[in-house]
Each structure stands twice: as C-alpha cells, then as structure tokens.
Amino acid sequence: MSTHSNHFKGIGKITYEGTKSSNPLAFRWYDENKIVAGKTMKEHLRFACAYWHSFCGNGGDPFGEPTHIFGWNDIPDAVDRAKAKMDVAFEFMAKLSLPFYCFHDVDVVDFTDDVADNEKRLQALTAYALQHQKESGIQLLWGTANLFSHRRYMNGAATNPDFQALAHGAAQVKAAMDATIALGGQNYVFWGGREGYMSLLNTNMKREQEHLARFLQVARDYARGQGFKGKFFIEPKPCEPTKHQYDYDCATVIGFLRAHDLLNDFSLNIEVNHATLAGHTFQHELQVAADAGLLGSIDANRGDYQNGWDTDQFPNNINELAEAMLIILEAGGFGGGGINFDAKIRRNSTDPEDLFHAHIGGMDTFARALLVADAILQDGEYTKIRSDRYASYDHGDGKAFEEGKLTLADLRNIAAGKGEPAVKSGRQEYLENLVNRFI
Ligand code: XUL
Ligand code: CO
C-alpha cells in the first residue's frame, strides 16, 4: 500500500499556495477545487500519471546506460518487483493528488514469452492495483497493451505480415482489456507504434490496414461483450519507430475509422509531440478532432524545436496550452478522457524531486491555460471576431449557399453582378495580442 512506500521521503503532500509562493514543491495555479466555468479544475483537467515514463523509464538513451536507478529493480521475483514499484507509484500520485493514472501491460509487471504466465502476472498486479485504487481513490484513466517493444513485433502487431505475431498482439490486448475492465478503467487506448512500414518494397499496405481494422473490431467486440462501457481511443503518430505509421494524424485516423465503421466506439487521444512530428500544431490536431466530435483525451508533453523526434518533455508552453484549452473548452471538454502526462524527466534529472517539479510544472501550466482560455471566452471578443469573419454566410446569398440552394451558375451570376469582395483584414496579430493580454 502507498503507506508502505517512503521512496520520496521528505516530500509531503503538494498543496496549492498561489502565485505569491516560491515553494518549488507547491502548486501556484492548480487549485483542484477552484470553480472555472461551472466545474472544478480537477474535473476539467483530469490529470493522469503515465506509469511508463515515471516508473519504468530509467534515463537510458540510444547512447547511454540508465541514469535513474530504482531500488525495486533488484527484487528478483517479477511480481514482488512489480508490487514494490506500484507502492512507489501510488505514493507519488497520492502526494501530487493526481486523480488518474495510465499504463501499458508491461509497465505494470515484466512479461516473458509465456502467454498464460503473463496473464497470471497481470491478474496478480490487477488485484494489487485495485487495493491501491480503493485506498487512495485514484482511478485508471486508460489501459493499453505494449505491442511494440517485443522483438516479435518488429514487423508490426495487428499489421504484421505473419498472422502468429498478430495473434500474440491479440492475446496481449485481451489481457490488458481484462485488467482495464477489472480496474474500472474509463477508456482503452491503441497506439500503433509499429503499425506501419519501414519500406513499401516489402509491404502490402492495403492488406495491413484491413488487418488493423479487423483487429480493432474484434478487440472492441470482446470488450463490449465483457461489459466495457468506456471509449476506445486511437493515438495518432506519423512515424517513429516506423518510417510511416498508418495512424498518421487525426484526419487520417478519422478517415480510417469512417471507412471501417468504427466511429461509434472510437475517438482520439491526441499527443502534443506527435502533432508536431506530423507537421501540425497541437491546436490543429485538437481542432480536427473537435470538429469531428472525436476529441477524447490528450497526452500532454512537448517536443523540442531543434530535434525531429519524440522528446516527450513535460509541457511548459503557456501560449500553446492557452490556445489548446480554448479549443478544448469550446468543444465542451474531453470526451471521457483527460490529460495524461506522456512525458519524461531528462536523463540528467536524477533527484527524486525532479519528478515532482516536472508534474507540478505541467499541472500548473495547464491550470493557468484553463484560466486564460476561460477569461478569453468570458470576455467574448475572441469569439465575436471569429464569428463576424463568416457573417456573409449568415444571411442572403451566403446563407442560401450554405443551405445548398445555389448552383454553380447562380454563384457565377452573383460574382458578375456584385463585383469584387471588400478587402477585410484577418487580424491575426490583433488576435495574438488578445491571447497574450489574458496571459
Ligand atoms: C509513444 C506514445 C505511447 C502511447 C501509449 O510515442 O505516445 O506511450 O501513449 O502506447
Ligand atoms: Co502517448
């Protein structure tokens, strides 16, 4: 139990102290019970800790050995080792008042190549997690299966040309769904890390994508059959580790879901650094999902302007997040999801406090962004400028066009009859200043 762990000794419960505080182990903006636009900050933001980065990542990188050394890794028995890690995870989440967590199957307990043994291990840890959840009130935002680390997935999981690899992926998904359901998990995520290709020369793209769709259908049917009422999320990412990933970005995934009749059960989990890797802004991806009614959840992090890979740094960009929260608030919030910190502390961040500073910074930046976005919407000028820009479609010929009442020839006659449109500013700089005025 969390009370059995004292990994973060000397660090107590993190509380809200307000903006005058310079205490690095306090919230300056995140006041979980503060009401904003009719809901508490806690209800709006639904923060979650990502088990994999915070308790499995060891600081190692392609050039260097681990720098984050965890005592529990020395425990020889896999289940005992996993329980010790879980005690620390719940100690951390409780100290930060994080309401949710997220995991992959193999984050929770180490797997071998034995399907039945892996199921038993995960069941043991599911029972243990359930005790922790009951004691702490912390809930599972989503579960998922890691179908990308094991060597059998080197050519993909659901899109593997070898059916036996696909079957192993399904076995993992089944067990991860059982765990998610047993833990009252609110959602289930699919991130297709290796569902794509390294070279088109050896790839039948059409067949692979059909296999992916069939895989998602059977997974959905299984979970629904077990009584799962939550959402399934697809997490788009354009590449890395593959050259090209089929879930490239939100628009691509929406087309895929529509083509395979999956729109009723699936929505999107949007990650900041995945958006930027796809050549989009985070805001763009949010807007695409929101416009389709598919904004489910987000994986919060940030990339690096100079690096073209998924650096998964903790979020700290207030402008980016204020604009993001504007879209999220206007969409009516998350569709069942929340804000999962899919972010890791740097290799050279080696103090126990670093994990707290990282999460506190991320939570405070989102809380501040929520306040900024709410103030902008309350003020109303932003919304008015945006809607006024389209006013010519609110009446007369423009309205008739929107309603499908005009032909191409009608449009031609309007152009000829009414002459050139007036020159109207898009006022981008004005709007950029408006956002900054509220920060
Ligand atoms: C990888 C990534 C994953 C998913 C879950 O880039 O984002 O951690 O969030 O599999
Ligand atoms: Co992610």
Side-chain angles (χ1 to χ4, degrees):
M1 295 291 95
S2 49
T3 44
H4 296 170
S5 165
N6 193 18
H7 180 79
F8 300 102
K9 7 181 194 312
I11 301 176
K13 202 161 169 74
I14 307 300
T15 58
Y16 170 72
E17 293 186 3
T19 53
K20 297 225 160 54
S21 173
S22 57
N23 177 2
L25 290 171
F27 296 118
R28 300 175 70 249
W29 296 93
Y30 182 61
D31 179 4
E32 62 174 18
N33 296 317
K34 186 183 171 77
I35 305 281
V36 184
K39 284 197 285 186
T40 63
M41 279 193 163
K42 186 177 174 177
E43 289 164 336
H44 273 287
L45 299 169
R46 296 167 59 82
F47 287 126
C49 179
Y51 217 88
W52 53 101
H53 284 309
S54 292
F55 306 106
C56 308
N58 58 20
D61 70 15
F63 300 94
E65 61 186 12
T67 56
H68 303 159
I69 312 298
F70 300 126
W72 62 77
N73 283 329
D74 299 334
I75 300 173
D77 179 72
V79 169
D80 290 344
R81 186 161 69 241
K83 286 182 175 174
K85 177 166 69 174
M86 188 168 279
D87 290 341
V88 174
F90 275 85
E91 178 200 348
F92 176 75
M93 295 187 287
K95 284 182 170 173
L96 264 174
S97 303
L98 281 162
F100 293 104
Y101 69 115
C102 301
F103 62 69
H104 302 86
D105 46 2
V106 301
D107 304 336
V108 171
V109 60
D110 294 337
F111 272 21
T112 66
D113 289 349
D114 182 330
V115 172
D117 189 39
N118 292 340
E119 288 166 348
K120 268 197 230 123
R121 289 178 178 208
L122 194 55
Q123 281 157 11
L125 267 296
T126 300
Y128 199 64
L130 200 54
Q131 280 176 262
H132 267 301
Q133 287 186 193
K134 281 192 183 137
E135 190 190 75
S136 62
I138 297 167
Q139 299 175 62
L140 182 64
L141 186 66
W142 49 263
T144 189
N146 176 329
L147 306 186
F148 44 90
S149 293
H150 194 284
R151 77 173 73 82
R152 74 171 81 87
Y153 301 126
M154 66 182 180
N155 294 309
T159 61
N160 199 300
D162 183 342
F163 170 68
Q164 189 59 18
L166 179 148
H168 271 273
Q172 266 187 262
V173 167
K174 179 181 175 296
M177 282 180 158
D178 287 341
T180 301
I181 294 167
L183 292 169
Q186 300 196 3
N187 309 280
Y188 187 88
V189 163
F190 292 90
W191 172 60
R194 299 201 190 262
E195 313 296 20
Y197 62 79
M198 299 304 288
S199 168
L200 266 183
L201 292 173
N202 60 12
T203 302
N204 184 333
M205 191 151 57
K206 182 166 190 292
R207 220 168 163 187
E208 290 196 1
Q209 293 202 43
E210 284 166 0
H211 295 166
L212 177 59
R214 177 74 68 213
F215 188 93
L216 294 174
Q217 286 162 1
V218 299
R220 180 227 17 225
D221 293 346
Y222 174 75
R224 291 290 182 237
Q226 299 297 306
F228 179 65
K229 299 270 186 302
K231 270 278 174 193
F232 303 96
F233 295 143
I234 305 270
E235 185 177 324
K237 186 175 179 182
C239 55
E240 193 206 24
T242 58
K243 169 176 172 57
H244 176 90
Q245 197 161 304
Y246 297 137
D247 299 334
Y248 195 92
D249 60 3
C250 287
T252 309
V253 172
I254 292 168
F256 173 86
L257 293 175
R258 185 168 289 126
H260 297 283
D261 203 18
L262 293 163
L263 278 173
N264 286 336
D265 296 284
F266 287 77
S267 58
L268 295 159
N269 180 34
I270 301 167
E271 179 162 328
V272 186
N273 207 169
H274 295 182
T276 52
L277 283 178
H280 304 308
T281 59
F282 179 42
Q283 299 90 303
H284 168 92
E285 288 293 82
L286 290 170
Q287 194 68 64
V288 169
D291 289 345
L294 295 175
L295 174 54
S297 200
I298 65 173
D299 269 11
N301 57 25
R302 75 178 202 275
D304 181 292
Y305 286 129
Q306 282 74 42
N307 287 344
W309 73 88
D310 198 9
T311 60
D312 283 342
Q313 289 161 250
F314 272 83
N316 73 354
N317 184 330
I318 180 68
N319 279 76
E320 179 177 60
L321 296 190
E323 290 180 26
M325 286 312 302
L326 269 175
I327 299 165
I328 293 164
L329 280 183
E330 286 204 293
F334 300 117
I339 299 174
N340 168 48
F341 287 109
D342 195 351
K344 59 186 173 214
I345 51 174
R346 298 301 89 186
R347 172 173 167 77
N348 57 358
S349 296
T350 50
D351 293 339
E353 287 83 0
D354 290 321
L355 196 58
F356 280 86
H357 297 156
H359 282 82
I360 290 168
M363 292 162 83
D364 264 348
T365 313
F366 266 99
R368 192 175 169 193
L370 170 65
L371 293 170
V372 169
D374 177 55
I376 290 173
L377 293 177
Q378 297 286 336
D379 170 76
E381 194 188 358
Y382 164 81
T383 320
K384 184 167 184 316
I385 291 174
R386 284 161 61 88
S387 59
D388 283 355
R389 200 160 178 236
Y390 297 87
S392 62
Y393 294 90
D394 292 340
H395 51 78
D397 291 335
K399 188 158 189 251
F401 170 75
E402 273 199 351
E403 290 168 350
K405 293 178 181 158
L406 298 184
T407 64
L408 191 64
D410 293 334
L411 294 171
R412 181 260 162 216
N413 293 339
I414 291 165
K418 296 204 175 152
E420 279 300 308
V423 174
K424 281 189 207 140
S425 173
R427 307 181 76 191
Q428 179 175 329
E429 296 78 7
Y430 184 94
L431 282 164
E432 287 167 352
N433 293 355
L434 184 150
V435 171
N436 279 354
R437 182 148 54 85
F438 286 88
I439 289 179

